[in-house]
Amino acid sequence: HGAGRTLAVPHGSPQHDRETPLNSGIVPAGWYAELKRWFHCAFLVISYFGVGILFYSHVERKACEDDAEPMCTEPWSPVDSVYFVMVSMSTVGYGDLAPSTPVSRVFTLFFIIYGIVVPFASLASQLATVMDHASKYFQKVIAHCFGHRDLREWFRQADEMDEVLANAPGAIIFWVSNMFVPVMMFTTWQ
């Protein structure tokens, strides 16, 4: 009896006939899922940094920055905590700040492992998606500038890489489309 029935909305029209931004074609189909992934990633990264700031700024101490007294210590500032969390999560580990108590060392051990496996991996995955979209966009722009419609087909037709490199426009298309985006992103971030 219930198969094929639709629920009625307050105005009496069937629920499946209602047009929303997600089913009307106004919003692209994968947009909502992509937005959810970004929010999930942001939540993981922000909560990771938040826990690190709360823990390290309340537990850890460092030498005073004003050097007025030789034995003076002060708590890590939130900036020190963010710096330590980022340096630890990215596995750089400069060593200028380090956990000093056994409790904070044990916490840091598990905190770093969690940070690499969960928030850092999620962030890397999302940034890889951005890089992929940017790379495809730049390949289309470069292909349009040099008159090649489909770069993949053009590269498939080349028997060896030497043939691609021997063709000057092909070399420019190949290197710009594959190296330009990462080089520009890393030079602007630094």
Side-chain angles (χ1 to χ4, degrees):
H1 178 77
R5 291 180 52 184
T6 58
L7 297 173
V9 292
H11 299 292
S13 62
Q15 186 172 358
H16 72 275
D17 291 341
R18 277 194 4 209
E19 192 169 288
T20 66
L22 293 176
N23 71 7
S24 67
I26 296 171
V27 177
W31 179 84
Y32 183 70
E34 185 67 25
L35 185 64
K36 277 179 62 175
R37 283 191 293 272
W38 274 106
F39 276 126
H40 183 255
C41 176
F43 172 76
L44 289 173
V45 171
I46 290 169
S47 62
Y48 181 75
F49 276 91
V51 168
I53 290 168
L54 288 174
F55 181 81
Y56 292 114
S57 63
H58 287 90
V59 172
E60 284 300 324
R61 300 192 66 78
K62 65 177 183 175
C64 291
E65 293 181 7
D66 61 7
D67 292 332
E69 297 178 33
M71 299 302 288
C72 177
T73 61
E74 63 186 9
W76 283 10
S77 69
V79 173
D80 291 332
S81 301
V82 167
Y83 169 76
F84 179 75
V85 168
M86 188 64 214
V87 167
S88 300
M89 182 178 67
S90 63
T91 69
V92 173
Y94 292 121
D96 51 347
L97 292 175
S100 58
T101 65
V103 171
S104 63
R105 287 180 184 152
V106 170
F107 174 80
T108 301
L109 174 73
F110 291 106
F111 192 65
I112 290 172
I113 292 169
Y114 175 79
I116 293 169
V117 173
V118 181
F120 193 65
S122 176
L123 184 61
S125 174
Q126 289 304 111
L127 291 177
T129 303
V130 170
M131 292 296 292
D132 186 47
H133 289 303
S135 178
K136 286 178 183 177
Y137 173 77
F138 279 111
Q139 285 179 355
K140 287 179 184 178
V141 168
I142 298 298
H144 179 73
C145 290
F146 287 100
H148 295 287
R149 302 245 185 252
D150 187 8
L151 283 178
R152 289 188 193 104
E153 183 62 33
W154 185 72
F155 281 118
R156 269 188 233 123
Q157 291 173 357
D159 293 330
E160 297 178 3
M161 190 64 179
D162 294 335
E163 280 186 50
V164 174
L165 295 176
N167 183 349
I172 293 169
I173 291 171
F174 178 80
W175 291 112
V176 168
S177 66
N178 289 300
M179 297 301 293
F180 180 75
V181 174
V183 168
M184 289 305 295
M185 289 190 76
F186 287 118
T187 56
T188 56
W189 283 344
Q190 294 178 4

